[in-house]
Amino acid sequence: MRRLPVYFLLDTSGSMNGEPIQALNNALSGMINTLRSDAQASESLWISVITFDREVNEISPLTELPSFQLAEIVCPRSGPTNTGKALELLFDKVKNEVKIGSPTQKGDWRPLLFIFTDGKPSDPQLYSEMIPKIKSLNFGSIVGCAAGSLADHSKLQELAETVVHLDTADSSTLKQFFKWVSDTIEQGNKSMGTVDTVSLPAPPSEVHLVI
Amino acid sequence: MQEVKTYIQSLFSAKGIEIKPNRLNQFEEFVALEDSLAAVKHIFENQNSLMNKWKLKNRISDILSLQIVIPNGTIGKNYSGHIDFEKLNLSDLIFEQFEGLEEIGLYFNKTNDCIEGIPSLSGDLKFTLLFKVNGEDENEELNKKVIQLIVNPDPKSLWKDIPSDPTDQFWKEDDVSISDKIGEKNIVISSKRGRSHKNVGSFRDDDFAYAHFTKTGWSIVAVSDGAGSYSLSRVGSQIACNAVIDFFENHADSEKSKEFEDKIISYNETGEQSILKEIEVLAKQNLYRATVFVHNKIKADAEETFNTHPELFNNPKAKSYLDYYHATFIFALFKKYEFGYVILTFGVGDCPIAVMNIEQTETTLLNWLDVGEFGGGTRFITQSDIFHSTEHPMATRFNFTIVQDFSYLFLMTDGIYDPKFVVEANLEKSEKWLEFMEDLKGKNEDHVAVEFNPENTQIADQLSNWMDFWSQGNHDDRTLAIVY
């Protein structure tokens, strides 16, 4: 069976502490619940969650949706945003986990990547080095989300072909955003039969598409 | 005694009551009084009780905030989730009962500490663990800990079956099954809309066509799979199948065809291998012309539709109007001669064609599949670069085979190949084809059988039923054509 692997890279640096991290947890678990009742997602979706602050943690390894359990995401009170380091771990994970088609192995659908941040990389050099490597992984789509006024979407644009901006990382905005993410995943499930990138649904009003 | 004395001394000192040196003897006597001893004992007891109560409260709070994670379940499927009390450091927990398990259809098996049963509800469910902790008073109320259990819905129940819109300009029947004579053989074909289309009321993208030309004795079967993400691909697959039949019926070069037949006759008489080689070349040239014809036919139709209905062409990913018609395409031509059957095939995309020998022991795959590194990385008849690719030369897409006779000739879309053969390598294995035949004859979960008998008038319905097999993650359109 072909899997649709979806990777979430979530910023848990100090600035996310408090309400934003609460909102992120709620929005993510809401999204997972929505996906559980989607026919296609329930059969083929595999999810991986990686958080990054000073440390990079794979808090939920790539797991099929029916068995997936979202671990609570916590963040330190302060500290840097090591986005580059997170991409490094992501690169290894995708290389090892996503199945490439061959005469004896069923290839996965092209994986999707969602990267969520409320700041900018504290390790810009590593971040820049990792971009071409990540792009070589043949993602079906890379979606960047910059939340709040301090988030730098120009950095995200170097990596992601679609970047959205959220004015705040509050509960209702994040809920809207992750609703859109789940629509995008469902879209990814449907875009079978081409080598093109996944076409994304139109984002809700709370989510501004950065062009 | 000393303990009592020390306690009273420290109590007095803490409260600022001084014991003067000249009253020390009197203090000793005071400490030794029965009343004093009893009072201090009482105090000690109360202190201990306070401390223990606090410890217990702390412990209970710890247990209440401890995360007990148990595996997710699926509605209607056997569930077993172990709660490892020891590993969770809960050996001081006195288990009383679980509340709310029954409502979910589950129970707690005390012998192995497992929650077992078959969940009858789905969702983000909760049940309660009622417990006490070692040392708690018997009369204390039970503590309650809520545990989360995720039960997935039955994937089958999530799929809707919305009919496609019959008023659509390019409507196509959702499911088609047919059986017929084809030359001296018989044919049964079923083409059914996949779950992913049913779920949203969209159209079947697969298509097929077949014909027997009495004038020449040739038969043809064509199968095509429109690319799911392009809006007019169902039209592409339809045109492809019909166009190839149109070509061999009305547009084939009659001189070339005659040359071909003449050579076959002389091969039949002489058995010379060099003639066979020439036949093969002629055959492939003819097939090539057929594929160009099909490509151009789709192109012409696409152009016309583009001119009359430009509003249908609104996909930002499409590079040309032809992209909207993307379809994989396979066909097989066969004719019976004195020496056996000549089978000619063509294939672009990931749909296999295979022939099983008359003894039903060997099966030969007649085309190679365009399978990308990732799902969906296939090729289409609508892509002009397939005609001049150096990586995958067009010539290799044609096949010329002679067999004495055959039991079955199969053409199928990936909707059948993916769930039944899984990977390309399995298509090369005769035993996999034999398993596939067994499956068709009823060796499957639902015991649905297709009876391959020329007298069987129900065969199309039987195949149609067989096509409804459940396979997780495989929700594509399914088309299967079998010549027998």
Side-chain angles (χ1 to χ4, degrees), chain A residues 67-79:
Chain A
S67 310
F68 185 83
Q69 296 188 330
L70 187 66
E72 200 194 334
I73 297 162
V74 289
C75 69
R77 280 179 199 282
S78 62

Side-chain angles (χ1 to χ4, degrees), chain A residues 1-2 36-37 39-40 42-43 66-69 98 100-101 103-106 108-110 138 193-197, chain B residues 69-70 72 150 152-153 158-159 195-196 228-230 317 373-377 380 418 422-425 470 472-473:
Chain A
M1 196 200 80
R2 291 197 167 116
R36 275 191 213 283
S37 52
Q40 295 207 4
S42 76
E43 287 188 35
S67 310
F68 185 83
Q69 296 188 330
V98 176
I100 304 286
T104 51
Q105 177 176 276
K106 192 110 249 170
D108 285 331
W109 298 108
R110 295 166 74 206
N138 211 354
T194 57
V195 288
D196 296 337
T197 50
Chain B
V69 180
I70 53 169
N72 300 348
I150 293 164
N152 294 290
L158 295 175
W159 295 94
R195 292 205 294 280
S196 52
S229 49
Y230 284 99
K317 303 272 175 194
E373 284 193 341
F374 289 97
F380 307 110
D418 273 344
V422 187
V423 292
E424 226 183 324
W470 175 262
Q472 192 195 336

Side-chain angles (χ1 to χ4, degrees), chain B residues 218-219 260 264 276 279 283 333-337 339-344 400-403 406:
Chain B
W218 283 94
S219 302
F260 178 84
I264 294 242
L276 198 59
I279 295 172
L333 282 153
F334 57 93
K335 181 178 174 179
K336 192 181 181 186
Y337 291 95
F339 53 83
Y341 274 91
V342 172
I343 305 176
L344 308 173
F400 173 91
T401 311
I402 296 176
V403 292
F406 61 88

Side-chain angles (χ1 to χ4, degrees), chain B residues 8-213:
Chain B
I8 298 176
Q9 272 174 335
S10 57
L11 173 71
F12 285 5
S13 131
K15 296 287 180 189
I17 299 170
E18 195 188 350
I19 305 162
K20 292 181 176 149
N22 60 348
R23 300 271 165 82
L24 280 177
N25 283 343
Q26 218 172 335
F27 179 71
E28 292 286 339
E29 282 166 24
F30 174 77
V31 167
L33 283 175
E34 210 165 289
D35 268 4
S36 304
L37 290 174
V40 171
K41 191 179 165 219
H42 199 65
I43 291 171
F44 280 177
E45 278 169 3
N46 279 336
Q47 280 180 341
N48 282 335
S49 152
L50 271 176
M51 288 188 295
N52 284 339
K53 275 189 184 158
W54 177 243
K55 275 190 203 158
L56 275 174
K57 280 231 177 295
N58 254 327
R59 180 59 189 145
I60 291 164
S61 297
D62 284 349
I63 294 176
L64 292 179
S65 59
L66 176 79
Q67 216 187 349
I68 297 184
V69 180
I70 53 169
N72 300 348
T74 299
I75 196 167
K77 277 198 178 154
N78 253 326
Y79 179 82
S80 174
H82 182 214
I83 299 185
D84 194 338
F85 290 100
E86 212 156 297
K87 213 171 167 187
L88 288 162
N89 248 334
L90 292 174
S91 29
D92 58 341
L93 180 144
I94 303 165
F95 170 79
E96 197 66 34
Q97 66 175 94
F98 279 112
E99 240 174 33
L101 273 182
E102 234 168 87
E103 287 89 326
I104 309 174
L106 301 173
Y107 62 91
F108 183 65
N109 183 345
K110 269 189 176 174
T111 56
N112 56 5
D113 289 344
C114 276
I115 291 174
E116 295 175 350
I118 298 174
S120 53
L121 293 175
S122 69
D124 207 339
L125 307 175
K126 288 176 175 62
F127 58 90
T128 312
L129 165 66
L130 301 183
F131 68 96
K132 279 197 175 168
V133 173
N134 261 338
E136 258 191 296
D137 194 87
E138 261 187 41
N139 303 320
E140 281 292 328
E141 244 179 73
L142 290 166
N143 306 294
K144 293 182 172 184
K145 177 173 178 61
V146 174
I147 299 177
Q148 189 193 38
L149 170 67
I150 293 164
V151 177
N152 294 290
D154 175 3
K156 292 186 198 181
S157 73
L158 295 175
W159 295 94
K160 297 186 207 76
D161 187 355
I162 306 170
S164 58
D165 174 11
T167 63
D168 186 276
Q169 186 185 358
F170 299 108
W171 180 72
K172 184 186 275 191
E173 213 176 326
D174 291 340
D175 302 319
V176 185
S177 299
I178 192 164
S179 65
D180 205 345
K181 292 284 293 173
I182 186 162
E184 287 184 22
K185 296 275 185 188
N186 302 281
I187 186 166
V188 58
I189 308 181
S190 183
S191 184
K192 301 188 92 166
R193 194 168 63 132
R195 292 205 294 280
S196 52
H197 288 311
K198 286 185 182 179
N199 200 37
V200 293
S202 55
F203 306 93
R204 172 168 57 100
D205 290 324
D206 277 8
D207 222 306
F208 70 85
Y210 70 94
H212 175 72
F213 310 119

